[in-house]
Amino acid sequence: MPEVLEILALACTGLYAGYMLAFMSGLMPALKEVDDASFTLVMRTVNRKVPGPLFLVLFLGSLAFPVASFFVEPDGRAGGGTALVGAAAVCALVGHLVTSGGNVPLNNALDSSKGRGDERSARTAFEGRWNALHALRTLLAAAAFVLVAMAVTG
């Protein structure tokens, strides 16, 4: 069972980090080039669609499985491996706090600005702050993945 938790931790942290990186490296740069109305329409739609079942499995699993793996050590894992999994869990937790305390409120504010007719202001209030917070949570997700990978392979 402990090895299964490590594999699930590795899979969820890796897939979640990849998901975050795809947004940062592909979607957001593409949206930078569109007009304000298109940007706000797409981001409002994305913000409604993203929290679906697959995303929630990755989002929750990228924290839950490293935490579980930290507490259920496989036979033969060196103390350093446990520390790495613990550090991965901390990175995932901080990333989740950034998401829930930063990105989600910005998503909600963007959604509530719909219909007010000032898409330029809505975009300005959203885009820069959201991208900065997203870059931070992407870095934390990638760090969590690398730390789990080091623990599993070390």
Side-chain angles (χ1 to χ4, degrees):
M1 182 63 158
E3 290 80 11
V4 171
L5 290 174
E6 285 187 331
I7 291 167
L8 290 170
L10 184 64
C12 282
T13 58
L15 290 168
Y16 182 69
Y19 191 90
M20 295 288 107
L21 186 60
F23 254 82
M24 190 173 86
S25 65
L27 180 64
M28 298 313 291
L31 288 178
K32 188 176 182 88
E33 297 182 15
V34 302
D35 62 84
D36 299 331
S38 297
F39 176 89
T40 56
L41 172 66
V42 169
M43 285 309 298
R44 286 181 185 119
T45 304
V46 166
N47 292 337
R48 281 192 309 275
K49 297 293 183 181
V50 163
L54 179 58
F55 175 80
L56 290 175
V57 166
L58 296 178
F59 180 73
L60 298 173
S62 69
L63 176 59
F65 290 123
V67 168
S69 183
F70 176 78
F71 287 109
V72 182
E73 294 183 31
D75 294 336
R77 181 197 290 163
T82 300
L84 290 169
V85 171
V90 169
C91 287
L93 175 62
V94 173
H96 282 55
L97 293 172
V98 168
T99 297
S100 62
N103 293 90
V104 169
L106 287 170
N107 294 346
N108 294 339
L110 182 66
D111 193 53
S112 68
S113 72
K114 185 178 180 180
R116 294 193 184 153
D118 190 1
E119 299 304 310
R120 179 86 175 134
S121 293
R123 180 180 187 165
T124 300
F126 176 86
E127 188 174 20
R129 291 172 56 208
W130 193 94
N131 282 333
L133 291 168
H134 184 71
L136 175 58
R137 68 184 178 165
T138 300
L139 177 65
L140 290 162
F145 170 65
V146 169
L147 290 164
V148 170
M150 291 171 56
V152 169
T153 61

